[in-house]
């Protein structure tokens, strides 16, 4: 992880269903922060094969980059391996037969783990439990919805990235979705952001519309961002650099709309001044600042020849940015890494 962030791994000792449970956790925050930070609970998805759950790592790419994206926006991000995943105590809870009540069962079981962790995280001196969001991908997004329907004290928003009800070869999904999402919507009292791609094989557009209609029809507050197709599989494509570049814009707008932390738009003017560029270059700089990390910005001193690139590692981002910038045959230097200015004044 890049030097602008610090990470901490530990075990959370919690009680779930009256039993003592140990959950593996990863905490990530900006290195330059002090005091109590708003908390973002990041919730992972499920592997296609149950036996792969024990191999789940909180440090795997691209997941760690996604966690870093949220931490750089001013949050203390808490990523938890739920029961049965990675080094957390087992067994896996979200493993159900094809039945109409199975989906809410596993969503609630996953939410139990997140809810149990809130008390342990709230005791940290760098955590502000009065401002929490739940954000998750795939099954982690669905678990975030289930948590949101419980309205725990301090939870102020839910962000669902491609999460819903899905089970390959299980036809009862069509029957359970409108019932379950009506129930979730009737209980949820916090703003929700949902992000899906139009080519998500797990959640076709018609299913997403049923989910939306049932959720909002029951009174829930929802902003749905339905993105154009991403790659060959929009479900996994949302985790790619190009996918994150699209949905992070939606997340930023959502957070700003609800007065929640993200990077300030005023940073665009700061960077323009350091580059000594005109306001006509504003969109280019804003696109860089909103882009997912790891990322690097290269430019030729004294003119507007520049390029930025994103990659899984900062070293790769630097190399790609320099290569792209120097295609005009002019010497280039790196002036930004992630959201830090590294060039000369």
């Amino acid at each position: 992880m890049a030097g602008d962030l610090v990470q901490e791994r530990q075990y959370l000792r919690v009680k779930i269903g009256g039993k003592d449970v140990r959950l593996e956790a990863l905490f990530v925050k900006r290195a330059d922060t002090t005091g109590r930070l708003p908390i973002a609970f990041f919730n992972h998805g499920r592997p296609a094969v149950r036996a792969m759950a024990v191999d789940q790592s909180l440090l795997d790419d691209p997941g760690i980059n996604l966690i870093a994206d949220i931490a750089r926006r001013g949050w203390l991000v808490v990523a938890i391996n739920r029961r049965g995943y990675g080094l957390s105590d087992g067994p896996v809870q979200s493993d159900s037969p094809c039945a109409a009540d199975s989906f809410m069962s596993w969503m609630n079981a996953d939410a139990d783990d997140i809810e149990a962790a809130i008390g342990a995280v709230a005791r940290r001196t760098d955590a502000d439990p009065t401002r929490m969001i739940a954000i998750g991908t795939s099954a982690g997004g669905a678990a975030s919805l289930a948590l949101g329907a419980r309205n725990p004290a301090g939870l102020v928003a839910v962000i669902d990235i491609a999460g819903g009800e899905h089970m390959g070869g299980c036809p009862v999904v069509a029957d359970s979705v409108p019932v379950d999402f009506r129930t979730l919507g009737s209980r949820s009292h916090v703003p929700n952001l949902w992000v899906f791609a139009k080519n998500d094989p797990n959640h076709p557009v018609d299913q997403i519309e049923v989910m939306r209609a049932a959720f909002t029809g029951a009174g829930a507050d929802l902003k749905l961002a339905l993105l154009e197709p991403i790659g060959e599989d929009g479900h996994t494509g949302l985790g790619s650099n190009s996918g994150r570049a699209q949905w992070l814009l939606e997340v930023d707008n959502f957070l700003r709309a609800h007065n929640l932390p993200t990077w300030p738009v005023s940073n665009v003017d700061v960077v323009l001044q350091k580059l000594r560029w005109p306001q006509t270059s504003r969109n280019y700089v804003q696109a860089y600042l909103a882009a997912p990390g790891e990322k690097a910005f290269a430019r030729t001193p004294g003119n507007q020849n520049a390029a930025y690139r994103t990659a899984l590692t900062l070293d790769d981002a630097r190399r790609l940015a320099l290569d792209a910038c120097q295609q005009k045959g002019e010497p280039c230097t790196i002036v930004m890494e992630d959201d830090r200015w590294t060039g000369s004044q």
Side-chain angles (χ1 to χ4, degrees):
M1 185 173 291
D4 62 326
L5 299 173
V6 293
Q7 64 183 27
E8 174 190 345
R9 298 179 70 185
Q10 65 172 248
Y11 292 105
L12 303 181
R13 310 281 179 170
V14 301
K15 278 192 179 293
I16 305 175
K19 297 180 179 180
D20 292 322
V21 178
R22 185 187 71 166
L23 298 177
E24 181 188 13
L26 172 69
F27 294 83
V28 182
K29 64 180 180 179
R30 293 176 61 105
D32 59 359
T33 57
T34 58
R36 294 184 179 273
L37 302 176
I39 308 165
F41 286 92
F42 175 78
N43 307 305
H44 61 76
R46 291 185 294 165
V49 180
R50 178 181 176 181
M52 296 172 61
V54 294
D55 297 323
Q56 180 103 5
S57 171
L58 294 173
L59 299 175
D60 278 350
D61 288 326
I64 190 64
N65 295 69
L66 192 157
I67 293 169
D69 289 334
I70 304 302
R72 289 191 174 107
R73 283 160 167 79
W75 296 83
L76 171 65
V77 183
V78 188
I80 297 165
N81 262 337
R82 300 188 295 274
R83 282 174 288 176
Y85 291 85
L87 300 179
S88 293
D89 292 343
V92 171
Q93 302 299 302
S94 54
D95 188 46
S96 308
C98 176
D101 61 351
S102 291
F103 303 98
M104 280 300 295
S105 175
W106 60 253
M107 289 166 70
N108 278 319
D110 287 347
D112 287 342
D113 294 22
I114 310 166
E115 187 173 27
I118 291 176
V121 174
R123 291 192 291 270
R124 291 176 59 102
T125 58
D126 57 355
D128 179 2
T130 67
R131 291 187 299 164
M132 302 186 296
I133 63 172
I135 177 171
T137 59
S138 193
S144 300
L145 294 178
L147 180 73
R150 300 178 182 185
N151 301 291
L155 186 72
V156 294
V158 170
I159 300 173
D160 172 16
I161 311 297
E165 297 185 356
H166 168 74
M167 183 182 293
C170 182
V172 301
V173 174
D175 299 323
S176 66
V177 164
V179 175
D180 292 347
F181 277 79
R182 190 177 306 116
T183 299
L184 290 168
S186 68
R187 297 172 179 171
S188 177
H189 305 312
V190 297
N192 280 248
L193 170 66
W194 296 1
V195 183
F196 289 88
K198 291 182 178 179
N199 63 330
D200 187 327
N202 290 3
H203 306 293
V205 173
D206 57 350
Q207 186 201 69
I208 296 169
E209 173 55 24
V210 172
M211 291 161 52
R212 184 205 64 79
F215 195 72
T216 58
D221 180 349
L222 170 64
K223 165 68 185 302
L224 171 63
L226 191 56
L227 306 180
E228 293 302 316
I230 302 173
E232 297 182 359
D233 180 341
H235 191 74
T236 57
L238 284 172
S240 66
N241 274 24
S242 61
R244 281 162 46 226
Q246 295 181 59
W247 66 253
L248 281 171
L249 292 173
E250 300 291 343
V251 168
D252 286 334
N253 291 335
F254 176 77
L255 293 173
R256 290 187 184 113
H258 295 285
N259 297 313
L260 294 171
T262 188
W263 65 272
V265 176
S266 59
N267 282 5
V268 177
D269 291 318
V270 172
V271 175
L272 284 173
Q273 291 171 7
K274 290 183 175 181
L275 290 168
R276 299 180 182 177
W277 282 5
Q279 285 292 324
T280 52
S281 299
R282 185 177 188 86
N283 288 344
Y284 190 80
V285 172
Q286 184 162 328
Y288 172 80
L289 293 176
E294 303 293 327
K295 58 188 176 185
F297 189 110
R299 56 98 44 116
T300 299
N303 64 43
Q304 288 185 254
N305 176 44
Y308 71 84
R309 292 293 185 270
T310 65
L312 289 180
T313 68
L314 189 53
D315 283 343
D316 284 344
R318 291 190 194 102
R319 175 179 54 80
L320 292 171
L322 285 170
D323 288 347
C325 180
Q326 291 170 171
Q327 285 182 0
K328 291 186 178 181
E330 301 179 78
C332 295
T333 59
I334 298 294
V335 294
M336 289 197 74
E337 295 176 351
D338 293 315
D339 56 3
R340 297 168 295 162
W341 180 263
T342 59
S344 58
Q345 298 295 329

